[in-house]
Amino acid sequence: MKFGKRIKEQIQESLPEWRDKFLRYKELKNLISSPAPVESIFVGLLNAEIDKFNAFFVEQEEDFIIHHKELQYRIQRLVEKCGHNDEMFRENISEIRKDIVNFHGEMVLLVNYSNINYTGLAKILKKYDKRTRGGLRSPFIQKVLHQPFFKTDLVSRLVREWETTMDAVFPVKVAEAEGYERCASVTSAAAGEGIFRNTVAALLTMKEMRRGSSTYSAFSLPPLNISDSDNVLRSLHLSSPIPIP
Amino acid sequence: MTLANDFGYSTAMSSSFSALHTTVEDRYRKLPNSFWVSSGQELMNNPVPCQSVSGGNSGGYLFPSPSGFCNVSAVSPHGRNLQNQPPVSIVPRERLAMQDCPLEAQPPLLINHHHQEFTDSLPEFFDFSDHVPVQNLQAESSGVRVDSSVELHKKSEWQEWADQLISVDDGSEPNWSELLGDPSSHNPNSEIPTPFLDVRRQEIKANQQQQVGSSEDQLSGKNSSSSVATSKQRMRWTPELHEAFVEAVNQLGGSERATPKAVLKLLNIPGLTIYHVKSHLQKYRTARYKPDTSEVTGEPQEKKMTSIEDIKSLDMKTSVEITQALRLQMEVQKRLHEQLEIQRSLQLQIEKQGRYLQMMFEKQQKIQENKSSSPESSPKQCNGTSAEVEVGLETRTGDQNEPASASRKRVRED
């Protein structure tokens, strides 16, 4: 039940267009709970879900690739245009910065999307095997590992590229310890806020999901390792509008 | 000039940067190599010799020299491990592109990209000699010309190879491996070759023949997750393919003027359908002409002018706050991404381990079964040996008993 609740929360916090693209965990669970779950139906549903993930993921990825190039191009043009004109550069770069951060965020959310759905599939298969004393899980999950939506390498690569680009487009970091608290509430545009909220929710969800369960086994993930003394998360706790369990 | 060298460009290029101020140079330097690719046509006015810059990259990017390069070039539908080369596979359901392997920050710097691609395609092309009559190659290569139809001018090595292509007169297959210094460790002809990315006509044509033969294999090697065959084959784009697309579009006069059909024809990539091009072109147009709209959310962001004015009219302090807010957001996002990557690799490990345990357990079971089903022979001997075996087994299982039964339990629970 825990995962079901978590994924529901995730979906609620996610970007609007994404909401119907997640795993229909509850429906699948209900199917399993029914008196005589038919394997072919169950597998059929799972395959349909996988197709859905693949289609969405690949399309998002395509959009990202296009946007990635366009953003690079924009920066290039700006750098050229500004030449030695630092002031002009500074003025124009702010918009681009926002776009970079939001773009980065969306890509990370796509990786998160992939992961959540994978986790959900793994869990639902586990439940199925438990219910039917069957061995559907292992071979099926093997197949899932080769699905397009699970292969997030490209998106991750783009994510990392933008992380390294940050230095070029952001000013040198000043002492920011006290600034974080103020900042969290100032998170700029609506789009950014949506992404930010979603990201925070995703992190918290992940933490919760890995905290340990009654069915903890060799197939379970270890607890999440984010030190609570971390500045970043501490500031989130202070100002995040998302209820923290 | 160091700046140019940092990015692995020849000194011929450096003149275009010489006018830049130091701070701008710094900015350039900080931008990852991927910025300096084909779409930066404005920058690349000078002819650039195509050279292998395996020594000259500063960003830790992989630019293998030709000899080291063509080891794995094709992709199979069975998830075969691919190394560095970023060509696309147009695959119905299952993703075949090389991102199976970790691509450590490998942006397709165009020069080397072309270099590599050229190196790549030809050897593999000739490995398929049974598919491809060499005469065909001749026909194709006669059409080869190192022309400057593309904005980037390439010289020297490029020209050499092209000339060699053209100069092959009779049907004898040239030793491409030797020519290109390639240790031909390609996949056998049953494997699906990688389609070619570059818009340079000769390269794409060179690949075409081999692709046609195997494209049916590709299409039929569909993902078994879907039992429904659809005519709409899903394609997975890559940055490299997109770049080729952009080049083609630019050649055709820009995103507004280019038509899907023309782009498709120009790209000439087997397996790529007009449907793919059409939808991609549409996305591309939208991305270019509505840069103010956020990627997915569709929420229009503040216009550039407005935000600049906002910042100007506001305190400097607030603008600093905004920047800091962005940094914070970035940090959180980074964190999430890190954790996701860790989680993913853990999940993979778990499955791998699970499979291993399962295998061990099954083996164990088999041994037990064989033992119990073995026919009765002379009691003494049998007892002796079977007792031995039993003991042996027991001791072994004794060690493994815990894990074996535990794994059994786990397996069942899962």
Side-chain angles (χ1 to χ4, degrees), chain B residues 1 89-90 99 115 143 198 219 230 263 360 363 412:
Chain B
M1 177 159 153
S89 322
I90 293 135
Q99 289 110 7
H115 177 87
D198 204 284
L219 294 179
T230 57
V263 172
M360 296 302 296
K363 253 188 201 167
R412 223 180 288 138

Side-chain angles (χ1 to χ4, degrees), chain A:
Chain A
M1 193 53 215
K2 222 178 192 170
F3 180 81
K5 195 164 143 219
R6 295 292 158 207
I7 194 174
K8 202 162 135 200
E9 281 171 8
Q10 264 288 276
I11 293 172
Q12 275 168 1
E13 294 293 340
S14 66
L15 304 165
E17 303 77 18
W18 295 33
R19 287 186 194 149
D20 60 347
K21 303 288 193 278
F22 284 85
L23 180 68
R24 290 179 297 174
Y25 189 75
K26 197 166 180 192
E27 287 90 334
L28 287 164
K29 221 167 62 128
N30 289 338
L31 178 65
I32 295 174
S33 321
S34 72
V38 181
E39 181 155 310
S40 59
I41 294 178
F42 183 65
V43 169
L45 281 177
L46 287 183
N47 284 333
E49 292 294 284
I50 289 173
D51 285 346
K52 183 174 75 179
F53 303 153
N54 286 337
F56 179 68
F57 188 88
V58 168
E59 179 153 354
Q60 287 300 308
E61 195 186 50
E62 186 180 345
D63 284 334
F64 287 161
I65 287 172
I66 296 175
H67 196 225
H68 174 76
K69 261 281 153 295
E70 289 307 303
L71 200 50
Q72 281 181 342
Y73 196 46
R74 257 171 80 192
I75 295 176
Q76 247 175 17
R77 275 191 312 220
L78 184 67
V79 174
E80 283 159 37
K81 197 172 80 168
C82 289
H84 3 289
N85 190 343
D86 278 358
E87 198 186 322
M88 185 161 118
F89 182 80
R90 240 201 322 270
E91 281 171 9
N92 291 288
I93 202 68
S94 55
E95 187 70 20
I96 289 184
R97 274 193 201 126
K98 191 172 61 169
D99 286 347
I100 291 176
V101 174
N102 287 340
F103 182 49
H104 177 271
E106 270 191 64
M107 288 198 287
V108 173
L109 286 174
L110 188 66
V111 178
N112 180 56
Y113 165 88
S114 164
N115 202 284
I116 282 245
N117 288 318
Y118 171 81
T119 307
L121 281 174
K123 285 183 184 284
I124 205 76
L125 282 164
K126 182 173 164 179
K127 286 198 193 295
Y128 183 83
D129 275 2
K130 191 171 177 180
R131 170 86 167 79
T132 63
R133 314 231 106 204
L136 178 63
R137 184 189 172 282
S138 199
F140 199 93
I141 208 74
Q142 287 303 316
K143 194 186 69 170
V144 175
L145 292 175
H146 295 295
Q147 294 300 308
F149 85 90
F150 187 71
K151 297 183 182 164
T152 54
D153 293 318
L154 175 59
V155 180
S156 284
R157 180 188 116 197
L158 296 181
V159 165
R160 275 180 258 117
E161 267 188 41
W162 285 105
E163 284 168 13
T164 58
T165 310
M166 281 286 281
D167 292 331
V169 288
F170 270 73
V172 179
K173 243 178 143 176
V174 195
E176 293 176 5
E178 64 285 352
Y180 272 133
E181 291 157 28
R182 258 181 308 149
C183 291
S185 54
V186 177
T187 313
S188 26
E193 195 182 292
I195 291 169
F196 188 54
R197 280 179 67 98
N198 197 173
T199 310
V200 171
L203 268 171
L204 294 172
T205 301
M206 200 193 273
K207 195 171 173 189
E208 278 304 305
M209 284 204 295
R210 285 168 58 167
R211 207 164 54 173
S213 69
S214 54
T215 54
Y216 199 76
S217 72
F219 287 92
S220 302
L221 290 165
L224 195 61
N225 180 23
I226 295 182
S227 75
D228 276 315
S229 60
D230 199 279
N231 263 344
V232 176
L233 283 190
R234 207 169 1 125
S235 66
L236 288 178
H237 280 236
L238 286 170
S239 51
S240 167
I242 301 164
I244 294 160

Side-chain angles (χ1 to χ4, degrees), chain B residues 141-370:
Chain B
S141 47
S142 60
V144 169
R145 55 193 190 283
V146 183
D147 59 359
S148 44
S149 57
V150 185
E151 312 77 90
L152 294 173
H153 306 285
K154 312 223 315 221
K155 308 264 154 104
S156 58
E157 284 172 316
W158 217 207
Q159 188 78 48
E160 269 175 65
W161 292 331
D163 286 341
Q164 272 158 350
L165 261 180
I166 296 166
S167 67
V168 175
D169 45 2
D170 55 8
S172 64
E173 183 181 338
N175 188 349
W176 291 104
S177 314
E178 219 180 73
L179 203 73
L180 297 160
D182 167 53
S184 49
S185 47
H186 305 303
N187 358 316
N189 46 20
S190 59
E191 299 294 277
I192 293 171
T194 351
F196 206 65
L197 281 187
D198 204 284
V199 288
R200 294 205 64 111
R201 252 172 256 127
Q202 56 269 35
E203 290 165 336
I204 291 169
K205 272 189 182 163
N207 256 324
Q208 194 178 13
Q209 283 308 311
Q210 62 177 350
Q211 300 302 343
V212 170
S214 48
S215 60
E216 285 84 36
D217 297 334
Q218 253 184 5
L219 294 179
S220 60
K222 265 162 50 163
N223 190 344
S224 54
S225 79
S226 167
S227 50
V228 180
T230 57
S231 54
K232 189 167 103 179
Q233 306 292 356
R234 195 187 308 117
M235 181 173 138
R236 194 152 192 183
W237 285 81
T238 67
E240 296 72 26
L241 182 57
H242 176 67
E243 253 168 68
F245 170 87
V246 171
E247 269 192 47
V249 165
N250 289 334
Q251 272 188 50
L252 293 167
S255 57
E256 286 302 303
R257 287 175 62 185
T259 65
K261 195 172 177 187
V263 172
L264 179 69
K265 197 165 176 210
L266 189 56
L267 282 175
N268 207 5
I269 294 174
L272 186 65
T273 69
I274 190 156
Y275 175 82
H276 297 140
V277 175
K278 203 165 158 193
S279 70
H280 196 74
L281 185 61
Q282 204 172 5
K283 286 181 189 272
Y284 183 64
R285 281 175 180 155
T286 313
R288 280 178 82 72
Y289 289 94
K290 274 202 251 171
D292 295 334
T293 309
S294 153
E295 182 70 46
V296 171
T297 63
E299 293 179 63
Q301 299 169 354
E302 300 115 344
K303 285 200 144 168
K304 199 171 163 182
M305 285 316 294
T306 325
S307 68
I308 290 172
E309 280 160 18
D310 282 346
I311 289 171
K312 272 185 180 165
S313 66
L314 293 171
D315 233 5
M316 270 316 288
K317 197 175 97 175
T318 314
S319 120
V320 166
E321 274 185 355
I322 290 175
T323 308
Q324 287 190 337
L326 286 176
R327 268 199 211 277
L328 171 66
Q329 184 181 337
M330 189 59 150
E331 276 306 308
V332 176
Q333 287 166 188
K334 251 172 110 166
R335 190 63 51 85
L336 176 57
H337 187 237
E338 269 168 28
Q339 293 302 327
L340 284 168
E341 289 197 292
I342 294 171
Q343 182 157 308
R344 185 165 176 266
S345 72
L346 281 173
Q347 282 167 332
L348 280 168
Q349 248 181 5
I350 284 173
E351 290 309 323
K352 209 160 112 181
Q353 203 167 13
R355 261 183 301 153
Y356 177 72
L357 284 172
Q358 177 86 15
M359 207 172 66
M360 296 302 296
F361 167 65
E362 279 167 4
K363 253 188 201 167
Q364 194 90 64
Q365 243 191 348
K366 250 187 198 151
I367 294 171
Q368 301 278 16
E369 277 171 20
N370 287 342

Side-chain angles (χ1 to χ4, degrees), chain B residues 79-97:
Chain B
R80 178 153 163 174
N81 208 17
L82 245 213
Q83 294 167 28
N84 45 44
Q85 193 35 257
V88 74
S89 322
I90 293 135
V91 186
R93 293 295 177 126
E94 190 167 284
R95 180 177 169 213
L96 299 189

